[in-house]
Amino acid sequence: MNIKHEHQILQLAFLTAAAASIHIVESLIMRLSPIPFLRIGLSNVVLLYLIARNQPLSAIMVSTAKSVIGGIVTLTLLSPTTILSLAGGLTAIIAMLLAKWLKLGLSLFGISIIGAITHNLTQLAMVRLILIHSDRVFMLTPILISIGLLSGCIIAYISLYVDAKFSFSGMKKIDEKL
């Protein structure tokens, strides 16, 4: 195995551990809140970083691993929570990649917002499909879009901040304008 390949595997392991750890901590903290199903999704900083760096397969692997590891650690692996996390994460990645690849002129903030809103609406659709068989769940749509706008901005800001603080020498910084 060459050095470059080993470095890529090490980076992927580090990013997966970071995303899973953040996901688990946020999940455990939010269980104590009055609205336990609402989360900012701070672990998605890692996914946005990978998308900005043109590493879509890594983003998919990290998203899947973070949901599965999170499910194992929080004892929700066989519950709808993990299914919602997997579905939301994967559709958000697809939406962000499409927004980036279609060259719509969106900044990192725009792409992050698209991902956050897609994640929330996918989870809402999955709740309708597997948990609550009533269209009344869609009454939450405006709230979830608002939360997606806010969390998308927060995730993009943190991604840019982390990239500025932790980029290695010789490594091109992610640009706010993709």
Side-chain angles (χ1 to χ4, degrees):
M1 196 179 298
N2 64 29
I3 299 293
K4 184 178 179 183
H5 188 66
E6 288 177 4
H7 174 74
Q8 289 172 332
I9 291 172
L10 184 60
Q11 179 190 30
L12 188 60
F14 172 77
L15 293 173
T16 300
S21 298
I22 295 166
H23 177 76
I24 291 163
V25 169
E26 187 176 24
S27 177
L28 294 174
I29 289 171
M30 293 311 292
R31 283 184 183 179
L32 303 174
S33 77
I35 310 172
F37 63 89
L38 289 182
R39 296 189 178 111
I40 294 174
L42 294 173
S43 62
N44 293 319
V45 167
V46 176
L47 304 179
L48 184 61
Y49 172 84
L50 289 167
I51 288 167
R53 293 241 177 249
N54 291 317
Q55 297 179 28
L57 293 177
S58 294
I60 290 168
M61 287 190 292
V62 169
S63 179
T64 303
K66 122 185 131 129
S67 295
V68 171
I69 293 167
I72 291 168
V73 172
T74 62
L75 304 176
T76 60
L77 182 62
L78 301 176
S79 74
T81 303
T82 302
I83 295 169
L84 296 176
S85 177
L86 284 166
L90 294 176
T91 56
I93 289 169
I94 291 167
M96 289 188 287
L97 287 171
L98 283 174
K100 184 177 178 193
W101 289 341
L102 291 174
K103 299 190 186 300
L104 301 173
L106 296 173
S107 69
L108 191 68
F109 284 84
I111 290 173
S112 181
I113 289 168
I114 285 173
I117 290 173
T118 301
H119 192 283
N120 289 349
L121 294 180
T122 298
Q123 287 190 332
L124 187 61
M126 293 298 291
V127 165
R128 166 63 176 89
L129 185 67
I130 63 175
L131 290 176
I132 302 171
H133 304 290
S134 168
D135 290 338
R136 297 190 82 201
V137 298
F138 295 114
M139 290 175 23
L140 292 172
T141 301
I143 295 168
L144 293 177
I145 289 173
S146 299
I147 291 168
L149 285 167
L150 177 63
S151 65
C153 288
I154 292 169
I155 299 306
Y157 178 79
I158 293 171
S159 295
L160 289 169
Y161 180 81
V162 168
D163 186 59
K165 293 292 181 187
F166 296 107
S167 286
F168 299 102
S169 62
M171 193 172 181
K172 183 181 167 195
K173 296 209 180 301
I174 59 175
D175 194 2
E176 182 180 328
K177 186 75 170 176
L178 298 178

